Amino acid sequence: MTPATVSREGHTIVCRSAIDPNASQAPIIWIHGLTMSVRFWEAGMFQSLVANRTWHSVGLPLHAPSEYDGEPREEMLSEDLFAEMIDEAVSQLVPEGGVHLIGHSLGGFAALNYAAKFPARVISVVSVGGFMNGRADGLEGALQFLAAGKFFRRIAFHTVFRLMQRSRFVLKLAAVAYAKRRLTVWRSELVDATLREVFPEFQQHSITALRAFCRYLLKMNVLDEICSLQAPVLAIAGDRDPIIPFKHQQSYAERLVDGELSVFPGCGHLAFAEDEARFEKVVGSWLKRFDS
């Protein structure tokens, strides 16, 4: 792995890369979701997807090991900052040529936001359980509710995250709450491997910073830029997603200039783990189509 960092406005994000000097296909930029880390995708990239490719994983602001030089506040986050930091990372890691972006949930938002603002470098986007405005349901919606509150809700928010940071078992219970096929996720070796990768960095997350991030999520909205998003977009959505409403994912996919919706029947927010074979096949076919 080749580490790299990008800094802007007090934020420093961390990127990890695997360079294939003989790569014949366009590189992939992987972006993780809320509360995860730059290592999130490493267990779940699937060898068929990264064969003959260089890949880069980009960490998001306020998610360890990324850092912020100051007191975290929601005012220090913006859609422009997200896009500019990803653009600096892409420029540093891939000096020329196009890239595919694959993001989960918040990472899907980040990929869509980047493609709308910096279209020249984007071959395609795969948004897995992604969104174009940040209001969530389920456990994530509850965290947003707690984050937006004062004394008692703030205490509850910190308590929830302290419990998850103390035990990978509790974090796994939270992950299962994001799924519809919960037994599949509970038994998933991919999920176990992913949590082993991210848990040490999850424990380093600043709870104050995550609370600020969750408050900012309530303001995130790039639906007004949907016509600027000219790159091909594959929206992968579980039709039983308890976190990002399926209707929202279906609606934004239909409004995209060049969008395609791939519905995962009976799946929730973790389509890549709830139906691994379908995910690998769908994403592999998509990449192959736009590599040629």
Side-chain angles (χ1 to χ4, degrees):
M1 300 294 173
T2 304
T5 60
V6 171
S7 297
R8 176 179 284 264
E9 297 181 23
H11 292 274
T12 299
I13 61 171
V14 175
C15 308
R16 287 168 58 83
S17 304
I19 310 297
D20 182 348
N22 300 312
S24 57
Q25 307 294 345
I28 296 175
I29 305 293
W30 301 87
I31 311 176
H32 64 83
L34 182 69
T35 77
M36 293 292 99
S37 82
V38 68
R39 296 175 182 266
F40 173 78
W41 281 108
E42 290 182 24
M45 290 182 184
F46 300 99
Q47 185 54 41
S48 66
L49 302 184
V50 294
N52 300 314
R53 294 183 192 275
T54 287
W55 62 259
H56 310 279
S57 185
V58 177
L60 291 175
L62 303 186
H63 287 70
S66 298
E67 298 177 344
Y68 179 68
D69 182 19
E71 180 68 23
R73 303 183 313 279
E74 60 188 287
E75 293 80 10
M76 67 194 180
L77 297 168
S78 71
E79 295 160 15
D80 287 339
L81 174 70
F82 266 64
E84 289 162 3
M85 296 201 77
I86 293 175
D87 187 57
E88 287 193 28
V90 171
S91 298
Q92 178 178 327
L93 299 168
V94 188
E96 57 184 22
V99 298
H100 299 285
L101 292 101
I102 303 179
H104 175 243
S105 195
L106 175 61
F109 170 89
L112 293 164
N113 179 52
Y114 173 70
K117 293 177 170 62
F118 294 92
R121 301 298 308 277
V122 181
I123 298 173
S124 79
V125 174
V126 180
S127 172
V128 187
F131 53 85
M132 296 194 76
N133 65 47
R135 291 184 176 271
D137 290 339
L139 178 58
E140 199 159 300
L143 291 174
Q144 290 178 351
F145 171 78
L146 295 176
K150 299 298 183 181
F151 185 71
F152 290 109
R153 281 154 63 181
R154 180 177 63 195
I155 291 174
F157 184 92
H158 281 249
T159 300
V160 168
F161 270 98
R162 285 196 190 99
L163 288 171
M164 290 191 291
Q165 287 181 324
R166 288 177 180 174
S167 169
R168 197 170 76 210
F169 177 79
V170 177
L171 182 59
K172 184 174 180 179
L173 289 175
V176 168
Y178 276 56
K180 182 61 180 178
R181 298 182 180 179
R182 293 179 177 176
L183 187 58
T184 298
V185 170
W186 183 258
R187 293 174 172 173
S188 170
E189 294 181 5
L190 184 155
V191 170
D192 286 340
T194 298
L195 294 180
R196 283 196 298 271
E197 289 282 351
V198 304
F199 189 64
E201 292 169 343
F202 179 83
Q203 289 181 299
Q204 298 173 29
H205 290 338
S206 162
I207 300 178
T208 300
L210 290 180
R211 181 169 172 263
F213 210 119
C214 285
R215 291 200 304 273
Y216 178 68
L217 271 172
L218 296 169
K219 302 177 182 178
M220 282 182 167
N221 192 341
V222 290
L223 281 169
D224 58 338
E225 297 182 62
I226 200 163
C227 292
S228 302
L229 219 166
Q230 301 289 320
V233 175
L234 174 64
I236 293 178
D239 66 357
R240 305 295 297 278
D241 192 327
I243 305 299
I244 304 301
F246 174 70
K247 287 184 178 180
H248 170 72
Q249 298 181 65
Q250 184 180 44
S251 175
Y252 89 70
E254 290 174 349
R255 293 173 58 189
L256 290 165
V257 174
D258 189 0
E260 183 174 314
L261 177 68
S262 180
V263 180
F264 277 47
C267 290
H269 197 57
L270 307 179
F272 56 89
E274 295 178 66
D275 194 339
E276 295 180 24
R278 181 180 176 87
F279 180 83
E280 185 176 10
K281 181 179 179 181
V282 167
V283 176
S285 297
W286 175 267
L287 295 175
K288 184 177 181 180
R289 186 198 315 178
F290 291 99
D291 275 332
S292 58

